[in-house]
Amino acid sequence: MNALKPPVQKNEYYDVAFEDMTHDGAGVAKINGYPIFVSNALPDEKAKIKIIKVNKGYAIGRLIELQKESDYRVDAPCPIYKQCGGCQLQHLTYEGQLLAKRKQVQGVMERIGKLQGVPVHPVLGMAEPWRYRNKAQVPIGEREGGLVAGFYQQRSHEIIDMKECMIQQETNDTVVQTVRAICEKYGVRAYDEKKHKGTLRHVMSRYGLVTNETMVVLITRTEELPNKKKIVEEIVAALPGVKSIVQNVNQKKTNVIFGDKTTVLWGEEYIYDYIGDIKFAISARSFYQVNPEQTKVLYDTALNYAELTGEETVMDAYCGIGTITLFLAQKAKKVYGVEIVPEAIDDARRNAELNEIDNAEFEVGEAEVVIPNWYKQGIKADVIVVDPPRKGCDEALLNTIIDMKPKKVVYVSCNPATLARDLRVLEDGGYKTVEIQPVDMFPHTAHCEAVAKLELKM
Ligand code: SAH
């Protein structure tokens, strides 16, 4: 490959063959080793493309004409798939998606992790990979005097009307459309982001899959909401599963959905849901996994890999609201969870109490600071579980793990590339990666989760 001059030119056409897929679902073709990324192209396809952007290390192309189709290509079932951009892989069969995700994990393990021969198991997918999301947050706009609830068209701020979303629980679609219609009837105006006027910004619906409880959140620019009382009464009458109606006020000119002030308009502050045997209280602002069915699969995998006997001290880094921590607590002597968001730790403590789990302790802070402190205080883990955000673990945390030498590390990752990078560090520090199990938490999107099991080398 010529490092100085890319082998393609902007606005020129090329015939290429796709061999791979990027982490965000675009096809990868190569000319003399130089990669070209093309949306909507699949591995094993051939196509005519037009180059729209040339960078030093790669180019972006647009698909002009498919010359050979993948056996795994399908017509995307969702009518607004291309405009929405929320899903990236609907043009690939579900079987093809699972194969591509496994290949992605295998690829980074070799390329980035320099790990040869680590078993990467077939991805655990869903039997019914639609209608899985338990949370919808839908922006509200206006069209011909009425309200529309939809999504921002890709690369624009125009709201496109969406009657249903195929990866969303039906209940959430019903809630959003019902609330939209009721607000329209009572003359509520949608928030206009250009003028920073109007009232209703977003409608959010959260649904407890096991409990059937629903929460409605109205996110408004002003505290005042015309006909608030009547709107609430009608929502309650129209949607029997609703246990909680909440208003959140966001007065700022911002893309951030939530503002600081949250008040309960009707019913409870929390709804509840279960993952396995553990009950979780979910408020308007709580983080909670959006695909509870697959979350159970992910946590069961992590718990299996931890191989607890009941005698262990366990640390759970990046613990969020304590979901994995409480799962582990049932099988361990003592579990310590650490998380940077204080509200999440409040939820974690509440959830421990709710489940009468008294061997879990939580601390707010950075995992890379708190865990070295625990270690200095003489707390030593037999097993460490980490579940970091996309950027992976901080190096200080990895070094503390290497010093502390827990006999097992279970790494839950939402980004295979940083997982591979961190596994390399742990391997160099005395650990062996035994196996990796990818789990499909977000069918039809390019997201890929995986759990790795590591053991201290003797
Ligand atoms: N284990 C949880 C959440 C994982 S998401 C679950 O399964 O539900 C990753 C979490 O890491 C987020 O809650 C985020 O707030 C937290 N986080 C990000 N950086 C952190 C840091 N440096 N130290 C501790 N927690 C951090």
Side-chain angles (χ1 to χ4, degrees):
M1 176 177 137
N2 184 339
L4 296 174
K5 195 169 172 297
V8 295
Q9 276 178 358
K10 192 174 163 174
N11 294 328
E12 290 294 313
Y13 293 81
Y14 299 85
D15 289 339
V16 294
F18 292 91
E19 43 193 85
D20 210 346
M21 188 183 261
T22 64
H23 66 89
D24 46 13
V28 184
K30 285 188 179 153
I31 294 182
N32 301 334
Y34 174 87
I36 304 163
F37 304 139
V38 181
S39 273
N40 200 32
L42 297 173
D44 293 326
E45 293 192 324
K46 290 183 176 168
K48 182 180 285 304
I49 61 161
K50 182 181 181 184
I51 299 293
I52 51 178
K53 192 165 181 208
V54 180
N55 290 321
K56 215 159 109 199
Y58 66 93
I60 309 280
R62 182 179 300 136
L63 190 67
I64 300 298
E65 194 197 345
L66 263 184
Q67 293 156 338
K68 177 182 167 247
E69 260 191 28
S70 160
D71 294 341
Y72 295 106
R73 178 174 282 276
V74 277
D75 287 333
C78 173
I80 49 177
Y81 172 56
K82 281 201 179 135
Q83 293 153 284
C84 167
C87 295
Q88 300 81 40
L89 300 179
Q90 280 198 22
H91 59 294
L92 185 53
T93 60
Y94 191 51
E95 188 196 352
Q97 293 177 23
L98 298 180
L99 291 172
K101 288 180 184 185
R102 182 185 190 191
K103 202 168 157 227
Q104 189 196 342
V105 177
Q106 287 167 327
V108 291
M109 287 309 143
E110 286 178 15
R111 266 194 334 271
I112 302 173
K114 309 280 179 245
L115 289 160
Q116 255 73 43
V118 173
V120 176
H121 302 298
V123 181
L124 296 172
M126 297 184 83
E128 201 41 72
W130 299 100
R131 298 281 181 196
Y132 60 84
R133 282 187 63 96
N134 61 5
K135 179 175 91 171
Q137 334 186 83
V138 181
I140 302 296
E142 285 185 12
R143 188 76 37 84
E144 288 146 21
L147 295 180
V148 288
F151 59 92
Y152 292 112
Q153 178 158 26
Q154 281 200 72
R155 288 177 287 275
S156 103
H157 263 224
E158 177 146 0
I159 293 168
I160 306 288
D161 195 13
M162 173 174 62
K163 292 282 184 293
E164 61 165 354
C165 167
M166 299 181 67
I167 61 168
Q168 191 58 257
Q169 292 281 345
E170 261 130 355
T171 305
N172 288 332
D173 282 344
T174 308
V175 167
V176 170
Q177 285 307 324
T178 306
V179 172
R180 181 204 63 76
I182 293 169
C183 288
E184 183 175 274
K185 174 176 160 193
Y186 285 104
V188 176
R189 299 291 305 266
Y191 174 62
D192 177 333
E193 58 172 6
K194 282 196 203 95
K195 296 187 188 131
H196 195 53
K197 287 222 165 73
T199 309
L200 189 57
R201 299 175 73 125
H202 280 81
V203 174
M204 178 183 183
S205 174
R206 305 191 87 162
Y207 173 67
L209 186 64
V210 176
T211 57
N212 266 314
E213 296 180 355
T214 310
M215 170 182 280
V216 177
V217 187
L218 303 170
I219 299 137
T220 57
R221 181 182 65 90
T222 52
E223 189 133 9
E224 204 220 321
L225 174 68
N227 299 305
K228 200 186 274 188
K229 204 161 157 266
K230 288 213 180 92
I231 289 172
V232 169
E233 278 168 17
E234 283 216 19
I235 293 174
V236 174
L239 299 165
V242 169
K243 288 278 175 300
S244 163
I245 303 176
V246 171
Q247 181 182 10
N248 173 272
V249 182
N250 183 358
Q251 298 179 319
K252 297 202 184 108
K253 228 178 156 166
T254 168
N255 287 335
V256 177
I257 297 178
F258 279 95
D260 296 331
K261 194 169 175 200
T262 308
T263 32
V264 177
L265 300 180
W266 181 88
E268 311 294 323
E269 184 183 352
Y270 295 95
I271 58 165
Y272 295 94
D273 197 23
Y274 286 86
I275 298 175
D277 296 333
I278 302 192
K279 187 176 186 180
F280 293 94
I282 308 161
S283 71
R285 304 294 310 274
S286 295
F287 171 83
Y288 186 64
Q289 292 277 0
V290 296
N291 183 345
E293 191 184 327
Q294 287 299 89
T295 301
K296 169 84 168 55
V297 175
L298 185 77
Y299 294 172
D300 279 344
T301 305
L303 196 59
N304 256 337
Y305 281 180
E307 294 175 313
L308 301 176
T309 64
E311 292 306 310
E312 295 83 359
T313 300
V314 183
M315 291 180 186
D316 179 19
Y318 311 90
C319 72
I321 60 165
T323 16
I324 299 179
T325 334
L326 300 181
F327 248 64
L328 296 164
Q330 296 174 306
K331 297 266 170 76
K333 187 161 98 196
K334 175 93 196 200
V335 185
Y336 296 87
V338 53
E339 156 66 43
I340 203 167
V341 176
E343 293 80 8
I345 289 292
D346 292 343
D347 283 350
R349 290 186 178 129
R350 179 176 309 106
N351 289 328
E353 230 168 85
L354 190 65
N355 292 281
E356 293 173 5
I357 289 173
D358 53 17
N359 60 338
E361 223 174 272
F362 294 96
E363 192 167 325
V364 178
E366 291 170 312
E368 59 272 25
V369 174
V370 172
I371 290 184
N373 276 342
W374 285 341
Y375 185 45
K376 263 183 232 146
Q377 290 162 31
I379 307 170
K380 198 175 164 298
D382 302 301
V383 177
I384 289 197
V385 178
V386 299
D387 183 9
R390 290 189 58 80
K391 68 173 191 230
C393 290
D394 191 278
E395 203 153 346
L397 174 62
L398 296 174
N399 289 334
T400 304
I401 293 174
I402 290 165
D403 286 346
M404 197 193 296
K405 298 191 174 43
K407 57 180 191 289
K408 278 198 191 71
V409 179
V410 178
Y411 194 134
V412 182
S413 162
C414 57
N415 182 351
T418 55
L419 171 65
R421 180 201 68 196
D422 292 350
L423 291 185
R424 180 75 264 155
V425 177
L426 292 169
E427 288 261 344
D428 292 343
Y431 283 87
K432 179 176 163 41
T433 308
V434 180
E435 56 188 314
I436 300 176
Q437 177 63 67
V439 178
D440 193 24
M441 299 285 284
F442 309 101
H444 311 294
T445 77
H447 294 288
C448 181
E449 295 254 341
V451 188
K453 173 181 174 182
L454 294 98
E455 282 172 358
L456 193 61
K457 283 185 222 157
M458 284 303 143

